[in-house]
Amino acid sequence: MTSTNDIRRGFLDYFGSQGHQIVPSAPLVPQNDPTLMFVNAGMVPFKNVFTGLESRPYVTATSSQKCVRAGGKHNDLDNVGYTARHHTFFEMLGNFSFGDYFKEQAITHAWTLLTKVWGIPAEKLTATVYHTDDEAFALWKKIAGLPDHKIIRIPTKDNFWAMGENGPCGPCSEIFYDHGDHIYGGPPGSPEEDGDRFVEIWNLVFMQFEQEANEIVGELPKKSIDTGMGLERIAAVLQGVHDNYDTDTFKALIAASCELTHTKAENGQKASHRVIADHLRSAGFLVADGVLPANEGRGYVLRRIMRRAMRHAHLLGAKEPLMHRLVPALVAEMGAAYPELVRAQPLIEATLKQEETRFRQTLDKGLKLLDEATAGMAPGATLAGEARRARGLEGLGCQGVGRCLVRHRRRDGLDRVPWLCLGHRRGRGARAGQGRCAGG
């Protein structure tokens, strides 16, 4: 089996051999874009190069970029653990051309790497193009030999990319992998496209137009290429599995979680182990890049991620802080590719331990207050507002323990405590992704 580390290295080595500069991942905190909370795509560190505001001593590049989507517009947090492909932290493999090569070479590189270097059968692949992009359609036929029905024209914004209302934009060409007819789903553009059978593995963006106020006003003087391939998705393909959480890196982290909690990743406990594995990665890398838990901004998002994982550790029966004891497994899996994890390991462990200790102290306090407040109540009863305030319970929503308290008391029939279920309530007037800590 090809390891995830080997796949990452193989991608970078291929493009390095094709004259691309291998660029290390930028930190998760954007250095050149105040509009973003975290780097959420591989092209973000190159944004000013694409727009011409910055020049670099190379015209083609490749990278494996650390990304987080857990706050603001791009927020996958609540889906993590319950689907095959949602993550808060992921790696985006990409190759980029800043006015050098364009569509033909981009498609040639993609097809060569997928089918010749990695040996993916051509019949498992389907390409999409923007519905008016006849050039890309013809190139897929010429380079890959794909039949017409395997090159699908898509008329929606899914196949047209823009940096914003103003600036570079252009059509996309996405490559999909067919996981087989034993999985429900249809090809892109079909009524069954939301199924899991056909999974996008690579997106090629052809930056060729300039737009103003969402209207194309002309062609760019230097056409460019921006591509993105999720490492976790291609690892699943090359390792012969359908679920990202069945790839080697996640299997190792989940195995460590199972060992320390003395539980198995199956049935009702499966999602909890997946949440812990995913959130361990995002929390570890965010701390390594200088983000610490706080009640607002980036630190607030980190605290939400941490406490969601800690809640699942508690649900698995962990009696003592767990997350910091999983850091060695994370470093063993990813430290060679990202030495910042190795350097920051003591800080990551100390931060996780302190945060989980505080979380458990608040949880213990909440359980005690809830026991006192609900003593003698009949099953299905609702705790009145005045009683909540008198017992000091309402403030516990800000400590991220509400869901744990509800889960604890469901076995007693006391499941109608709606104020504890306000998972991600924001402070009044708070901006998306930057509200004060209000839930877990």
Side-chain angles (χ1 to χ4, degrees), residues 250-265 269 273 276 316-319 322 325-326 328-329:
F250 278 106
K251 286 173 69 175
L253 299 179
I254 290 171
S257 174
C258 289
E259 180 180 0
L260 290 176
T261 59
H262 307 290
T263 59
K264 295 182 179 181
Q269 298 172 328
H273 284 292
I276 289 168
L316 289 173
K319 303 301 182 185
L322 169 72
R325 293 190 290 154
L326 292 170

Side-chain angles (χ1 to χ4, degrees), residues 152-320:
I152 302 172
R153 295 180 185 266
I154 302 293
T156 66
K157 64 180 181 179
D158 288 340
N159 275 71
F160 196 92
W161 179 90
M163 193 172 289
E165 292 185 1
N166 304 300
C169 63
C172 305
S173 188
E174 298 175 324
I175 305 171
F176 286 76
Y177 178 82
D178 180 1
H179 278 276
D181 58 11
H182 62 289
I183 297 171
Y184 171 77
S190 71
E192 298 81 24
E193 67 177 356
D194 289 335
D196 276 349
R197 176 177 172 178
F198 291 84
V199 174
E200 179 200 339
I201 57 173
W202 207 343
N203 186 17
L204 316 181
V205 178
F206 310 130
M207 294 190 196
Q208 65 184 104
F209 301 115
E210 181 83 18
Q211 71 173 10
E212 295 178 2
N214 287 322
E215 294 289 335
I216 294 176
V217 295
E219 292 208 353
L220 293 171
K222 290 186 176 181
K223 297 178 175 62
S224 297
I225 291 293
D226 157 30
T227 85
M229 172 193 285
L231 176 58
E232 295 78 10
R233 293 190 180 200
I234 193 63
V237 169
L238 295 178
Q239 293 177 18
V241 297
H242 177 253
D243 193 317
N244 291 2
Y245 290 91
D246 289 332
T247 57
D248 61 330
T249 297
F250 278 106
K251 286 173 69 175
L253 299 179
I254 290 171
S257 174
C258 289
E259 180 180 0
L260 290 176
T261 59
H262 307 290
T263 59
K264 295 182 179 181
E266 57 188 27
N267 301 323
Q269 298 172 328
K270 182 178 180 179
S272 290
H273 284 292
R274 291 177 171 217
V275 167
I276 289 168
D278 174 273
H279 292 8
L280 173 69
R281 299 204 317 162
S282 52
F285 276 99
L286 284 170
V287 173
D289 281 347
V291 182
L292 294 175
N295 285 344
E296 56 188 4
R298 294 184 178 95
Y300 161 73
V301 177
L302 173 59
R303 175 162 281 163
R304 280 181 59 197
I305 292 170
M306 286 183 170
R307 292 201 168 188
R308 187 168 185 259
M310 292 164 185
R311 175 170 65 87
H312 280 274
H314 180 82
L315 296 177
L316 289 173
K319 303 301 182 185
E320 300 293 334

